[in-house]
Amino acid sequence: MDPRDLIAGEAELDEEENDESFDEETGEVRTTANGANGHLDDSSEEEEDDDDEEAARAIREGFIVDEDEEEPEEREQRRRREKKRRREEREKEEEALDEEDLDLIGENNPDFHRPAPAEPKFKRLKRGHKDDAEVAAPRGLAEIFSDDDDDELDAPRADHDRLGRFRPEPRGQPDEFAEFIVEDDPIDEDEKIRLQEEREIARPRAQGLDIVGAQASGLDEESLEMMQDAFGDGADYQWALELEEEMDDLELAEQSLELKDVFEPSQLAEKLLTDEDNAIRAADEPERFQLARKPYRHVVLTDDQLKEEALWISRMMPKKRVQEELLEPFQKAVAKVLEFFITDEVEVPFVFQHRKDYLIHAVKVPASPDPHNPDAPEYVVQAEKLLNQNDLWIILDHDLKFRALVDKRNALQRTYDNLTAVAHVHDVIVEEMLPQAETMEELQDLQDYVHFQHASHLKDLSVLKGEANGTHRRPGSQKAIFERVRNGKIYGLVHAFGITADAFAQNALKAGRRQYTEDPSIRPDDMADTVLDPPEHATGAQALRAAKMMFAEEIAMSPKMRKVMRRQYYMTGVVECFRTEKGLRRIDDQHPYYEFKYLRNLQLSDIARRPDLYLRMLRAEDEGLVEVRIRLQGYDDFRRRLQNDIASDNYSEIAEAWNAARKDVLDQALVKLNALMTKGVKEALKTRCEDEIAAACRAEFAKKLDQAPYKPKGMMLGTIPRVLALSCGQGAPGRDAVCWAWVEEDGRVLEHGKFADLRFDEAAKRAFVELVQRRKPDVLAVAGFTVETRRLVMDVEKIVEEEDLRGAEFEDPDTSQERSERLEVVVANDEVARLYHTSARAALDHPGLAPLTRYCVALAKYLQNPMKEYAALGGDVVSISFHPSQQLVASEKLQRQLETAMVDMVNLCGVDINEAAGDAYTANLLPYVCGLGPRKATSVLKAIHANGGVVESRAELVGDPEEGKIAVVGPRVWNNCASFLFMEYDSSESSSDYLDNTRVHPEDYDLGRKMAADALELDEEDVKAEVDEAGPGAVVKRLIKDEAQDKVNELVLEEYAEQLDRNFNQRKRATLETIRAELQQPYEELRRNFALLSTDEIFTMLTGETRDSLTPGMIVPVAIKRVLNLERQLEVVLDCGVRGFVYENELPERASADLPLNQQFAPHQTIQAKILALSRSALEATLTVRDEALQQPYRKPLDHLREEWDEVQEERDQEALQETNKEAGRTQRVIKHPLFRNFNAAQAEEYLGSQARGDAVIRPSSKGLDHIAVTWKVSDNVYQHIDVLELNKENEFSVGKTLKISNRYTYSDLDELIVNHVKAMARKVDEMMLHEKFQTGSRAETERWLTTYTEANPKRSVYAFCINPKFPGYFFLCFKAGQHARLGSWPVKVVPQAFELQKNAYPDMRALCNGFKLLFSNQQD
């Protein structure tokens, strides 16, 4: 639905140019010109409409006031008042959606057009009555399925195509939209009379006496005057009418549209326009804090918990090994950082930039006396960095985890407190362990224990209703069994085991004094006979079994015992992989999962070294190919130790019997504990590995962001270059045009075009040289999608060298002379450009440019500022590859990590707020500014534009009522973002403050001014005079004006820092260094130099291959490009575009030396070859096609030790596979074709499951060695298996020279068969499935659609196609010739180059549809 349909002020007209409506009084037909979408052209037409409507209303009310009865001036005033009131109503309604809201609507729906201001609000469009409508002539059978006049069919058809089903008809609209609804069905006479009566009742009241009506009633003038004297003329009630009008106006204003009335909630959420988003915008709290802490808003940490949190995070921080002497300062630093986050509510960039002194531990160390320098300092300062910026993000993340921990702990404490208060429960284990719990696992153990141990009390308590926050447990039948045992006589037998589960766990933990086990005086089976509890436990054996099960459950539920097991798993646990039956065949030695198919005894510490390996193991387990198990090394020894901890030390027959029973209980408990621990450890390892890969992606992204713009020769770091970017895209230079774009340093695309051939076309070369000499670029950027790009690079480099093309001149710092250097040709990183050039954003930015030219623009902008290009991607940045296994990490987690890297770099560089206000490209950086986010960034820009569009000072951001400036941000957000938003300093403006253009925070402006005054050696009186004359920033202005910034280097900052620490308890040593640097060079470029791509990165960019995916030793398919007879060698091309050579000594042995090589090999022939050498810089490879080389398949080196691989199982599986193949009577065939796979039918379907529609696999056939099979993907879960008969075979293993399919189609080789048969049918399938008559659902769904359509259009006939999944290659043609006709269907077969229907072949869908209509018509005849 178009949003315009929901906006007051627009009505959707019929498709005809002129819409016919009927006069409500006379019934005459009126023709109304729609104009453009029904809008009126200008305000004059609006006034004329107003007059016409007023006159028409007067006529409908049954009277016209005579001009003699009303003065012209009064009549004119009344008309003006009426028009003004109507205009105000329209304005109030349009005010509901302001300019920004309309912009957002337009951004969400490009087809949306704003309502014209002159459009009348209420305009009703109606169709004529049934008896006036033109009756359509009945359609003949020849036209029963006609397409050319199916206007009514196409509209619902389009909706169905978009949604896959019919849209439901809209229900009743609000009253204010009633006049916009076009009635679908003409109303009958009765309905017309009823509506007319309702309109008569609802007419507006006349403000004067109805003279015409009175005369019509037969009253004379005298009687009329008498009636007026008795009843009045109605003027006494004028106030009531006016009040009613005011109430109507107020009600109309309250019915104004809002965005939530126009858009679906999902659309508002996508655009961040929900009520919750607006609340985040309005709250004076950093946006990222609001979002992160949202689940824990109710958690309020006490002072003790804050101290506990600091210690907890200090222990939990990964990879943070702190020296013993620095442990206490480290914990204090963590506590201080938490104080900044929680109390001061400042984000990570603020802490790192302005509280850096608290992240450093500085110690004064006495210096050795220097006899030659008596003025040498008595001590030196040794500084140790305790926390870096990445550590701050980790602390912030752990703060959220601690809040979750406290929340769960509080919930569990409330449950226990209720048990204590109501049921008088006192559990020593809970009281001891709950305050000590440090992980969610330990809290979960306690929760399971409470719900097991006190299930009967919890069942009777209402506290279960308040445990929806994570402590609620539904009681199960098994717990009821344990409760009956606990409350029965058998529980005495559990006590007779002589030790409690908690005491046993304490022994296993080796915590405290050992608890000894006591033996009863009788054997366990004899005691069991004394505690029978029929009918469930009627025998001693049943009673003893129940007691053992109860004791084992108590051990498994013991929090201390779980702690023992968890600790043991993390210390001695190993990971093992076992292939499934499915994985036995699916994972061959070329499969990426083969490296862990037989993996055994992998230590958990090794998983931390290769987290991607473990995640791929879990992915393979999800696919059903392997089973990942975790077991304990030395399990028997561990079990033996536990047996000693539970057994008694007595020596007797009774003691041995009880110890045997205790061992049985322990074994039962260990089964449960092992299953529980395995699951928990696997999940914990998964989370840790995902965090590791996400952190690695963040580090790689940080490297990409940490690049200054490409530095032109002779310029300062940070100077924006002028770039000429070129690309041949997917094409090849010389054959396809080379697109180029010239981008100025301000980002404007001033010129663009194409070159034909820069290698052989002299005119193109001259044009290129002229362009370079005229524009004087600082750098030439080249990139593309194929290896042909390297040829373009070489062509450009050659022209630059031959023509001695140089960049802009610059001053040589050594000689002070102007000079220039030869232009550098750079292969630009195109990972952003590939995402940009076909995006909607690119079309919006450069609507007149071709996609490849937009690609060149993105290349140039990347060289100008990589950070801005990555910021402009937004959420699409996760599409860039940072790690080979990043797809194994949840996109939300990856997005959060990448965002932190962007936040760090944006705040390091700062944002010119005035530039961002005027440039959407720069505004992309605002969401990453400290304290802001995507929501607050939009509100900041909106407030700045409301204030005039320019920010003159940082103080202005919090508002200036005297100047009429509204607040852009609140005080807390301002404190976060102030120093990271800067304004350029203008010495000619008195209000401009130099410090507003620096990284110095406003809270430290006084320090900066004091340092400037000391550098200028001004006393207090001088400073006061300067300030009185030119304001607070006068001293700094003078420092800049006098160009005396270097004098700040003479200041001794140690003394400043000591005074601040001593007098104000502020640690500012690092801050003072920042101020000194900023006074000399504001917002100096701190990023590293622009990083040029390495050889491997260029190879991957142009080929898509890495060192793992393409390396020497691999066997790959190659296409022969040229056959060189004289040199007896082959020039080939790999699938990735790399050029390769097969020299004479690497040809197959069967290649005859007597025959020319071109008679044995042909161009475009595909063969298998093995890579001998690969030059990644030259993009060339040397290959061999010798038979003995191809018979030795490539096997990736496996990174594991001998004891970590089950070679016995591997050999056993290989033998089993060979035996299975023999039993199937199928000899292993090796066909040299890139599509050949040694699969059976099921394996082929499984392989093609993730491939595209139309992809195929050539495989051995079960019918014998003179058959092969081709399986191709028709659609999702639909595969066709084609039997191919081989004729004229040289031997049983070779491919036949003649290939026949169904005795109907004959081909000479596999390539011809694939292209002319399989691909031809695939094209026909695509043509069918992209046709407007195709339905994506099943046959039953298609028939339901036909039925629904014919019910809505009883006289219509309709047909549609759908796929036949049971017979691949066939489709159903379903049809229904009217509402009461029976459903019918005919099969349509796809054959190469045609469709077959009723044994008739049709070349395309149009012919098929026409043929169907003709066949159907003939059958009806």
Side-chain angles (χ1 to χ4, degrees):
M1 177 180 288
D2 195 313
R4 289 176 291 176
D5 298 342
L6 300 177
I7 299 175
E10 293 200 4
E12 183 177 351
L13 305 184
D14 288 346
E15 294 181 359
E16 293 79 14
E17 287 293 329
N18 297 317
D19 188 35
E20 292 184 352
S21 61
F22 287 78
D23 187 273
E24 295 181 356
E25 282 292 322
T26 66
E28 295 178 357
V29 177
R30 293 196 301 245
T31 302
T32 304
N34 294 343
N37 295 331
H39 294 287
L40 297 181
D41 294 335
D42 54 27
S43 59
S44 65
E45 292 185 11
E46 176 187 351
E47 292 177 3
E48 292 172 6
D49 247 20
D50 292 341
D51 296 341
D52 294 341
E53 288 176 9
E54 185 180 46
R57 186 174 65 252
I59 292 174
R60 287 194 305 269
E61 291 171 355
F63 72 96
I64 299 178
V65 179
D66 217 359
E67 290 186 1
D68 296 335
E69 298 296 324
E70 185 175 13
E71 293 296 327
E73 294 180 359
E74 294 177 356
R75 184 170 64 253
E76 186 66 20
Q77 290 177 358
R78 181 173 58 80
R79 290 177 59 190
R80 288 199 186 100
R81 285 197 301 271
E82 286 294 318
K83 287 194 290 184
K84 180 179 179 181
R85 182 177 65 81
R86 286 193 295 271
R87 189 178 298 112
E88 289 175 350
E89 290 174 358
R90 287 192 299 270
E91 290 174 353
K92 288 179 180 178
E93 184 164 339
E94 290 178 357
E95 284 174 0
L97 296 174
D98 61 10
E99 292 296 320
E100 180 178 352
D101 294 334
L102 292 172
D103 289 339
L104 289 169
I105 295 173
E107 179 184 350
N108 186 72
N109 190 338
D111 296 333
F112 172 75
H113 302 283
R114 298 189 184 184
E119 177 72 7
K121 178 183 177 185
F122 297 104
K123 186 166 184 177
R124 185 163 185 156
L125 305 177
K126 293 187 176 181
R127 295 180 181 175
H129 305 295
K130 281 186 178 179
D131 52 353
D132 297 328
E134 183 178 351
V135 179
R139 307 171 68 186
L141 284 173
E143 299 175 349
I144 195 169
F145 293 103
S146 176
D147 293 325
D148 53 359
D149 59 347
D150 279 354
D151 294 338
E152 294 184 10
L153 181 145
D154 291 340
R157 167 76 197 175
D159 282 345
H160 186 277
D161 286 348
R162 285 193 299 271
L163 301 178
R165 55 180 175 81
F166 274 116
R167 294 180 182 270
E169 290 294 326
R171 299 183 184 272
Q173 299 285 347
D175 292 341
E176 64 175 318
F177 295 110
E179 296 296 331
F180 288 89
I181 300 175
V182 180
E183 297 176 358
D184 291 331
D185 297 321
I187 57 177
D188 56 20
E189 286 297 329
D190 295 337
E191 182 68 7
K192 175 185 175 184
I193 295 173
R194 187 183 65 79
L195 294 176
Q196 181 66 23
E197 291 175 351
E198 291 178 356
R199 282 195 293 272
E200 291 291 340
I201 296 173
R203 278 181 182 168
R205 297 173 177 85
Q207 296 184 3
L209 184 63
D210 192 345
I211 302 297
V212 178
Q215 292 176 353
S217 65
L219 296 176
D220 56 12
E221 186 174 349
E222 183 179 356
S223 300
L224 185 61
E225 290 178 356
M226 293 176 61
M227 187 180 68
Q228 288 181 345
D229 293 338
F231 299 104
D233 59 358
D236 295 338
Y237 301 100
Q238 181 68 25
W239 63 272
L241 297 176
E242 294 177 352
L243 181 61
E244 186 176 358
E245 286 186 2
E246 292 179 2
M247 295 298 294
D248 291 341
D249 293 344
L250 181 61
E251 181 180 358
L252 183 63
E254 292 176 350
Q255 292 177 352
S256 298
L257 280 178
E258 297 180 2
L259 285 176
K260 61 184 178 183
D261 300 322
V262 179
F263 292 108
E264 294 292 333
S266 60
Q267 294 176 301
L268 293 178
E270 181 183 356
K271 293 294 180 181
L272 306 179
L273 293 173
T274 64
D275 293 339
E276 182 181 355
D277 294 321
N278 293 330
I280 293 175
R281 286 186 181 90
D284 186 21
E285 182 183 355
E287 182 173 326
R288 277 174 283 274
F289 278 6
Q290 294 187 61
L291 296 174
R293 295 173 178 173
K294 178 183 174 182
Y296 315 113
R297 284 288 179 186
H298 59 284
V299 179
V300 180
L301 301 180
T302 64
D303 292 340
D304 291 338
Q305 287 175 334
L306 288 174
K307 295 177 182 178
E308 177 191 357
E309 180 181 9
L311 297 175
W312 183 83
I313 293 178
S314 300
R315 292 192 296 269
M316 292 294 174
M317 285 189 67
K319 295 184 178 179
K320 203 66 183 177
R321 300 290 181 263
V322 182
Q323 300 176 9
E324 186 67 29
E325 61 272 14
L326 296 178
L327 182 59
E328 184 178 352
F330 175 74
Q331 293 174 349
K332 290 182 178 179
V334 172
K336 200 65 181 177
V337 168
L338 287 172
E339 180 184 335
F340 296 144
F341 288 158
I342 299 171
T343 306
D344 299 343
E345 290 190 339
V346 291
E347 284 202 271
V348 168
F350 181 95
V351 176
F352 187 73
Q353 180 67 31
H354 304 299
R355 299 292 184 265
K356 194 174 293 185
D357 294 270
Y358 295 92
L359 313 180
I360 300 172
H361 178 60
V363 179
K364 291 182 178 180
V365 179
S368 302
D370 186 358
H372 302 289
N373 186 8
D375 297 331
E378 298 179 359
Y379 59 88
V380 293
V381 177
Q382 291 184 352
E384 292 284 346
K385 194 172 185 179
L386 300 174
L387 296 169
N388 57 33
Q389 196 164 6
N390 191 37
D391 293 333
L392 299 183
W393 288 108
I394 295 175
I395 292 174
L396 183 61
D397 183 56
H398 277 72
D399 173 53
L400 300 177
K401 293 179 180 178
F402 184 78
R403 289 170 184 266
L405 183 75
V406 170
D407 188 24
K408 190 175 183 67
R409 189 168 64 188
N410 291 343
L412 192 54
Q413 184 67 54
R414 287 193 298 270
T415 301
Y416 180 71
D417 291 342
N418 287 330
L419 283 172
T420 303
V422 178
H424 307 291
V425 171
H426 293 282
D427 195 312
V428 178
I429 297 176
V430 177
E431 294 174 357
E432 174 191 352
M433 299 192 67
L434 185 56
Q436 299 176 359
E438 289 190 340
T439 64
M440 296 296 285
E441 290 86 355
E442 293 178 0
L443 285 177
Q444 187 63 46
D445 294 343
L446 280 169
Q447 178 178 308
D448 293 343
Y449 169 78
V450 169
H451 283 269
F452 168 75
Q453 195 69 25
H454 308 290
S456 60
H457 299 297
L458 288 173
K459 186 177 180 180
D460 300 333
L461 294 177
S462 61
V463 293
L464 286 175
K465 297 179 181 179
E467 295 181 2
N469 54 4
T471 60
H472 178 72
R473 281 298 189 88
R474 181 178 299 174
S477 59
Q478 190 175 13
K479 289 187 177 180
I481 297 174
F482 293 132
E483 280 301 305
R484 288 196 296 271
V485 172
R486 184 182 286 115
N487 297 327
K489 294 187 296 182
I490 296 179
Y491 200 64
L493 187 56
V494 176
H495 286 300
F497 279 94
I499 191 172
T500 64
D502 182 66
F504 164 55
Q506 184 174 329
N507 289 342
L509 272 175
K510 303 296 186 289
R513 188 168 57 88
R514 176 180 172 82
Q515 303 295 313
Y516 292 96
T517 305
E518 300 295 334
D519 292 322
S521 57
I522 59 176
R523 292 173 57 87
D525 47 358
D526 295 335
M527 181 175 287
D529 293 335
T530 64
V531 292
L532 300 181
D533 189 8
E536 293 181 354
H537 310 109
T539 65
Q542 292 176 340
L544 183 59
R545 188 184 309 111
K548 288 181 178 180
M549 182 179 66
M550 183 68 190
F551 192 24
E553 190 69 17
E554 288 183 342
I555 293 175
M557 287 292 178
S558 169
K560 292 181 180 178
M561 193 61 208
R562 290 187 178 185
K563 188 174 183 178
V564 171
M565 293 295 295
R566 190 173 290 111
R567 184 174 63 183
Q568 189 68 23
Y569 265 89
Y570 281 118
M571 289 175 58
T572 64
V574 293
V575 178
E576 297 183 330
C577 229
F578 295 88
R579 54 93 187 139
T580 62
E581 287 301 320
K582 181 180 178 181
L584 172 63
R585 288 186 170 276
R586 176 75 180 275
I587 305 177
D588 58 16
D589 55 3
Q590 301 300 315
H591 199 281
Y593 293 163
Y594 192 80
E595 64 176 319
F596 53 76
K597 184 177 182 180
Y598 301 102
L599 192 64
R600 306 286 190 270
N601 303 322
L602 183 64
Q603 302 287 338
L604 298 187
S605 58
D606 294 332
I607 289 180
R609 183 171 52 88
R610 290 194 59 192
D612 58 315
L613 177 65
Y614 181 72
L615 292 180
R616 286 192 292 117
M617 291 165 63
L618 295 182
R619 173 67 61 86
E621 186 176 41
D622 292 339
E623 296 174 6
L625 302 178
V626 299
E627 180 184 354
V628 180
R629 303 176 190 172
I630 298 180
R631 67 173 181 85
L632 291 175
Q633 271 189 331
Y635 176 75
D636 293 338
D637 293 338
F638 174 69
R639 175 171 167 271
R640 197 176 300 112
R641 291 198 303 270
L642 292 180
Q643 289 175 352
N644 294 333
D645 292 329
I646 198 174
S648 70
D649 297 335
N650 299 325
Y651 293 96
S652 66
E653 182 181 350
I654 295 176
E656 289 181 1
W658 278 103
N659 283 337
R662 295 180 187 113
K663 290 179 182 179
D664 291 342
V665 169
L666 178 60
D667 289 340
Q668 292 183 37
L670 287 177
V671 171
K672 298 182 178 182
L673 287 170
N674 283 327
L676 184 67
M677 291 300 110
T678 297
K679 182 179 179 181
V681 172
K682 283 177 67 173
E683 286 300 317
L685 285 177
K686 179 183 178 182
T687 301
R688 191 177 303 175
C689 290
E690 288 180 343
D691 292 342
E692 288 289 333
I693 292 181
C697 293
R698 181 193 188 279
E700 184 63 25
F701 188 37
K703 289 181 182 179
K704 295 177 180 289
L705 292 173
D706 192 12
Q707 297 182 83
Y710 176 88
K711 189 176 82 66
K713 296 292 193 303
M715 300 296 178
M716 299 178 52
L717 185 65
T719 304
I720 305 297
R722 296 169 299 177
V723 184
L724 177 61
L726 305 94
S727 176
C728 55
Q730 294 279 8
R735 187 179 69 240
D736 301 289
V738 176
C739 290
W740 59 270
W742 164 259
V743 182
E744 278 283 355
E745 57 262 32
D746 58 1
R748 292 178 300 150
V749 182
L750 297 185
E751 197 174 354
H752 62 89
K754 294 181 179 180
F755 296 124
D757 183 6
L758 293 179
R759 175 169 292 190
F760 301 110
D761 191 337
E762 293 298 327
K765 291 170 65 175
R766 286 195 301 270
F768 173 73
V769 172
E770 186 274 334
L771 174 66
V772 173
Q773 292 175 344
R774 174 165 50 88
R775 286 297 185 180
K776 293 289 185 183
D778 297 312
V779 63
L780 300 176
V782 182
F785 307 138
T786 67
V787 295
E788 296 293 339
T789 302
R790 184 176 181 275
R791 177 182 165 187
L792 177 60
V793 173
M794 296 170 63
D795 292 345
V796 174
E797 288 177 340
K798 183 178 180 181
I799 296 175
V800 170
E801 182 179 359
E802 291 177 349
E803 301 294 334
D804 194 24
L805 299 179
R806 295 178 174 270
E809 293 184 347
F810 59 91
E811 182 179 341
D812 192 327
D814 298 329
T815 63
S816 300
Q817 299 293 324
E818 293 291 330
R819 72 182 185 89
S820 62
E821 289 194 2
R822 183 172 293 170
L823 277 175
E824 184 177 7
V825 181
V826 172
V827 179
N829 188 335
D830 73 340
E831 60 188 6
V832 177
R834 292 192 184 213
L835 296 175
Y836 173 79
H837 76 291
T838 56
S839 67
R841 181 168 61 92
L844 187 64
D845 293 344
H846 307 286
L849 301 185
L852 188 55
T853 307
R854 296 172 191 160
Y855 173 82
C856 295
V857 172
L859 294 177
K861 288 191 173 184
Y862 187 89
L863 265 68
Q864 291 179 337
N865 197 326
M867 181 181 70
K868 282 189 176 182
E869 280 294 282
Y870 286 116
L873 287 177
D876 292 337
V877 71
V878 296
S879 301
I880 294 177
S881 177
F882 303 103
H883 189 280
S885 301
Q886 73 182 54
Q887 74 278 1
L888 301 175
V889 181
S891 59
E892 295 81 6
K893 178 179 289 188
L894 182 61
Q895 181 75 49
R896 287 195 302 269
Q897 284 285 346
L898 298 179
E899 183 183 9
T900 62
M902 179 64 76
V903 169
D904 288 346
M905 197 53 58
V906 168
N907 289 280
L908 176 69
C909 301
V911 178
D912 186 334
I913 186 60
N914 289 315
E915 183 183 348
D919 178 24
Y921 184 54
T922 305
N924 291 323
L925 301 175
L926 281 181
Y928 305 101
V929 171
C930 182
L932 303 183
R935 299 163 185 82
K936 287 188 178 293
T938 57
S939 64
V940 163
L941 294 175
K942 188 175 181 179
I944 291 175
H945 289 303
N947 287 338
V950 177
V951 181
E952 296 180 354
S953 67
R954 284 171 173 168
E956 187 182 302
L957 293 173
V958 289
D960 188 351
E962 296 180 359
E963 296 291 334
K965 305 280 189 180
I966 64 174
V968 176
V969 291
R972 286 187 177 178
V973 175
W974 178 84
N975 186 47
N976 274 273
C977 69
S979 63
F980 306 108
L981 300 176
F982 63 87
M983 308 92 202
E984 287 191 6
Y985 172 64
D986 187 355
S987 58
S988 63
E989 291 289 340
S990 59
S991 60
S992 183
D993 192 333
Y994 178 84
L995 293 177
D996 283 343
N997 191 33
T998 67
R999 290 183 173 92
V1000 180
H1001 194 278
E1003 70 178 8
D1004 297 321
Y1005 276 10
D1006 290 339
L1007 290 177
R1009 292 160 182 164
K1010 177 70 168 61
M1011 292 173 62
D1014 290 347
L1016 293 173
E1017 298 180 356
L1018 300 179
D1019 56 22
E1020 294 184 3
E1021 294 181 358
D1022 296 333
V1023 172
K1024 186 177 184 302
E1026 293 281 350
V1027 171
D1028 292 342
E1029 180 181 354
V1035 177
V1036 178
K1037 285 184 178 180
R1038 179 176 171 182
L1039 181 75
I1040 304 304
K1041 183 178 179 181
D1042 296 346
E1043 297 183 356
Q1045 296 97 314
D1046 292 341
K1047 291 184 178 181
V1048 296
N1049 291 326
E1050 301 173 4
L1051 300 177
V1052 181
L1053 300 184
E1054 289 293 342
E1055 296 179 2
Y1056 278 76
E1058 289 178 359
Q1059 291 179 13
L1060 290 172
D1061 195 4
R1062 182 170 57 252
N1063 299 332
F1064 302 101
N1065 195 27
Q1066 295 181 355
R1067 299 167 63 176
K1068 294 283 187 179
R1069 180 64 182 84
T1071 302
L1072 293 173
E1073 286 288 354
T1074 300
I1075 295 174
R1076 175 156 62 183
E1078 292 297 312
L1079 286 174
Q1080 297 178 79
Q1081 187 173 347
Y1083 261 103
E1084 178 185 5
E1085 180 60 73
L1086 299 180
R1087 288 174 291 181
R1088 300 178 181 178
N1089 285 330
F1090 186 85
L1092 300 179
L1093 294 179
S1094 66
T1095 300
D1096 280 359
E1097 289 172 334
I1098 295 175
F1099 183 84
T1100 299
M1101 184 182 82
L1102 299 181
T1103 66
E1105 304 286 355
T1106 64
R1107 287 191 176 272
D1108 291 334
S1109 62
L1110 191 67
T1111 191
M1114 287 185 172
I1115 299 176
V1116 295
V1118 298
I1120 298 177
K1121 186 177 182 181
R1122 287 194 304 168
V1123 179
L1124 305 176
N1125 283 321
L1126 295 179
E1127 296 84 353
R1128 290 195 63 80
Q1129 66 184 39
L1130 304 176
E1131 182 179 344
V1132 299
V1133 177
L1134 279 68
D1135 286 344
C1136 62
V1138 171
R1139 188 172 62 164
F1141 296 94
V1142 179
Y1143 298 107
E1144 182 177 9
N1145 57 341
E1146 299 300 338
L1147 293 174
E1149 293 80 356
R1150 64 178 181 275
S1152 174
D1154 299 331
L1155 289 175
L1157 206 58
N1158 59 3
Q1159 295 184 13
Q1160 304 176 65
F1161 297 95
H1164 309 297
Q1165 180 183 353
T1166 301
I1167 60 175
Q1168 295 288 104
K1170 190 171 191 176
I1171 302 175
L1172 298 178
L1174 179 62
S1175 173
R1176 298 180 183 273
S1177 59
L1179 299 174
E1180 292 181 352
T1182 304
L1183 304 102
T1184 180
V1185 292
R1186 296 176 66 86
D1187 294 337
E1188 64 270 16
L1190 297 179
Q1191 291 173 1
Q1192 298 176 0
Y1194 172 79
R1195 184 168 180 177
K1196 182 180 177 181
L1198 302 179
D1199 183 18
H1200 55 71
L1201 301 177
R1202 186 176 182 85
E1203 60 272 12
E1204 294 176 351
W1205 193 260
D1206 193 342
E1207 296 178 351
V1208 175
Q1209 185 65 46
E1210 181 184 27
E1211 184 177 354
R1212 191 179 301 151
D1213 286 349
Q1214 290 176 352
E1215 293 175 355
L1217 285 174
Q1218 292 176 359
E1219 187 65 27
T1220 302
N1221 292 334
K1222 289 180 181 179
E1223 292 176 359
R1226 178 156 49 113
T1227 307
Q1228 293 275 355
R1229 293 188 64 180
V1230 178
I1231 299 176
K1232 293 182 180 180
H1233 193 277
L1235 298 182
F1236 177 78
R1237 297 290 186 277
N1238 197 15
F1239 289 160
N1240 57 25
Q1243 290 173 320
E1245 292 183 1
E1246 188 175 8
Y1247 171 79
L1248 292 172
S1250 59
Q1251 305 299 314
R1253 191 168 65 202
D1255 285 355
V1257 165
I1258 301 171
R1259 58 183 181 84
S1261 174
S1262 59
K1263 293 185 176 181
L1265 295 177
D1266 57 347
H1267 288 258
I1268 56 175
V1270 176
T1271 301
W1272 70 284
K1273 184 175 182 179
V1274 180
S1275 183
D1276 291 339
N1277 300 318
V1278 180
Y1279 308 93
Q1280 186 179 35
H1281 303 281
I1282 302 173
D1283 178 45
V1284 181
L1285 176 63
E1286 301 176 79
L1287 302 175
N1288 301 326
K1289 294 169 63 75
E1290 293 182 355
N1291 55 63
E1292 62 179 0
F1293 298 107
S1294 64
V1295 179
K1297 296 181 179 180
T1298 302
L1299 306 175
K1300 300 198 69 173
I1301 298 178
S1302 303
N1303 284 326
R1304 182 177 177 184
Y1305 305 100
T1306 303
Y1307 304 101
S1308 59
D1309 57 31
L1310 289 172
D1311 288 333
E1312 183 185 4
L1313 184 148
I1314 293 296
V1315 172
N1316 294 333
H1317 192 93
V1318 177
K1319 295 299 181 183
M1321 288 195 296
R1323 285 193 295 269
K1324 287 299 160 187
V1325 170
D1326 288 341
E1327 183 180 353
M1328 169 73 78
M1329 300 182 75
L1330 294 176
H1331 193 263
E1332 62 178 4
K1333 295 293 185 182
F1334 180 77
Q1335 295 289 318
T1336 57
S1338 63
R1339 178 181 177 180
E1341 292 172 337
T1342 303
E1343 291 178 345
R1344 281 198 298 269
W1345 182 84
L1346 296 177
T1347 303
T1348 304
Y1349 180 84
T1350 52
E1351 288 176 354
N1353 303 272
K1355 296 182 179 181
R1356 291 278 187 178
S1357 301
V1358 65
Y1359 65 97
F1361 299 91
C1362 64
I1363 199 167
N1364 185 345
K1366 291 185 178 180
F1367 296 94
Y1370 282 83
F1371 290 82
F1372 290 116
L1373 197 169
C1374 304
F1375 54 89
K1376 197 170 191 294
Q1379 180 182 10
H1380 302 295
R1382 297 180 59 183
L1383 286 165
S1385 67
W1386 292 350
V1388 178
K1389 182 180 180 181
V1390 176
V1391 297
Q1393 313 299 339
F1395 301 99
E1396 284 188 357
L1397 176 67
Q1398 303 284 330
K1399 298 184 179 180
N1400 298 305
Y1402 300 98
D1404 53 36
M1405 286 298 298
R1406 181 178 180 181
L1408 176 63
C1409 294
N1410 292 334
F1412 160 66
K1413 296 172 189 176
L1414 184 61
L1415 290 173
F1416 185 87
S1417 177
N1418 292 336
Q1419 287 190 4
Q1420 299 301 313
D1421 294 340

